[in-house]
Amino acid sequence: MPPEPNKLAAACGVGAAGLHAVGALALWGVDGAFRPDSLDRWFYAAQQHDVATAWSAWSFTLGAALLVPWATGLARAIGPYAWPGAGMVTVAALVNACSSLLPFVVVSHLPHGEPEIGQTLLAVALTADAVFNLVWGVAVVMLSLAMARALNFTMWLSGWGLLAGILAMGVVGRAWSPAGADFGLLAGPVWAAWLLACSHALHTLPFVRAASVEDAVDRPKRREQLPFVPRPTAMSAK
């Protein structure tokens, strides 16, 4: 028996959060990783810790890819207002899944005597990750606003998502500022925890298409707009 779509999406969300955590922990001893002022140190540290760098790259890639089915399942559960946010998550996640492999390319396929090329690839990975955080943050805000209209999600989860999305947008500064890189240490755990909370909510929901508040309000209006058809009586039948 295949798993319910909500439970499958919830599992993808848990996997995405866990793989992002693994990717971050793998870089713990890699000096200068994802810092714009330390690309040279990042390059040489990655060469020395090539296994950890490869594990980190593949973890981020798989984690980003799992955001796609998670966002699709969440949008299906919330309702039609969530699909634009889910679409943004899909585009950002797929681009980030590709760019996250660049550090793996540096340590696996680049000659050790080409630091300029290696640092350029790492700079592209850093910039792409910063843009991903910006788009991801906007998408999380959009999903949270749609969640606030839904009848089957709590308001505190929506508020948490708004905070997580705003913090994630701030990480775009890591493309040019060390302070932006440090800000990611705060934003990352906040949105990962929100991702886990959403996944738990998805897991407990039955698989039904949720109706939004506006749908519930408009449904009586649409009923009033229907033409009146008199019910046939015994006299009219004669």
Side-chain angles (χ1 to χ4, degrees):
M1 181 177 180
E4 292 184 10
N6 283 350
K7 291 181 170 54
L8 183 60
C12 291
V14 173
L19 285 169
H20 275 85
V22 170
L25 291 174
L27 291 177
W28 190 261
V30 182
D31 187 29
F34 287 97
R35 299 188 65 86
D37 58 338
S38 306
L39 292 175
D40 53 345
R41 285 189 292 150
W42 184 11
F43 173 76
Y44 291 110
Q47 298 288 347
Q48 295 173 359
H49 302 84
D50 53 344
V51 175
T53 300
W55 270 98
S56 172
W58 280 103
S59 296
F60 284 140
T61 293
L62 296 177
L66 286 177
L67 289 175
V68 176
W70 168 82
T72 302
L74 183 64
R76 187 186 293 114
I78 292 175
Y81 294 103
W83 286 110
M88 291 186 66
V89 171
T90 298
V91 173
L94 291 178
V95 173
N96 185 251
C98 297
S99 63
S100 295
L101 282 178
L102 289 177
F104 170 75
V105 174
V106 169
V107 300
S108 301
H109 304 290
L110 191 68
H112 290 265
E114 299 290 344
E116 293 82 6
I117 299 177
Q119 292 176 34
T120 301
L121 293 177
L122 294 178
V124 172
L126 170 64
T127 306
D129 183 76
V131 174
F132 162 75
N133 277 275
L134 174 63
V135 180
W136 162 254
V138 174
V140 168
V141 169
M142 294 174 65
L143 288 171
S144 300
L145 292 176
M147 190 181 295
R149 306 174 68 98
L151 300 175
N152 49 358
F153 287 90
T154 59
M155 288 300 297
W156 68 265
L157 191 59
S158 174
W160 187 355
L162 289 174
L163 174 62
I166 293 172
L167 291 178
M169 285 188 280
V171 186
V172 69
R174 72 165 30 164
W176 64 83
S177 170
D182 295 332
F183 193 71
L185 299 176
L186 169 65
V190 173
W191 70 251
W194 177 79
L195 179 60
L196 290 174
C198 286
S199 299
H200 178 266
L202 269 177
H203 186 270
T204 57
L205 283 178
F207 180 57
V208 293
R209 188 177 296 277
S212 65
V213 174
E214 184 173 334
D215 291 337
V217 173
D218 288 345
R219 194 176 297 114
K221 295 181 180 178
R222 290 196 295 268
R223 188 181 299 115
E224 293 174 0
Q225 294 172 358
L226 292 175
F228 173 73
V229 178
R231 183 176 300 174
T233 61
M235 294 297 294
S236 62
K238 296 179 179 179

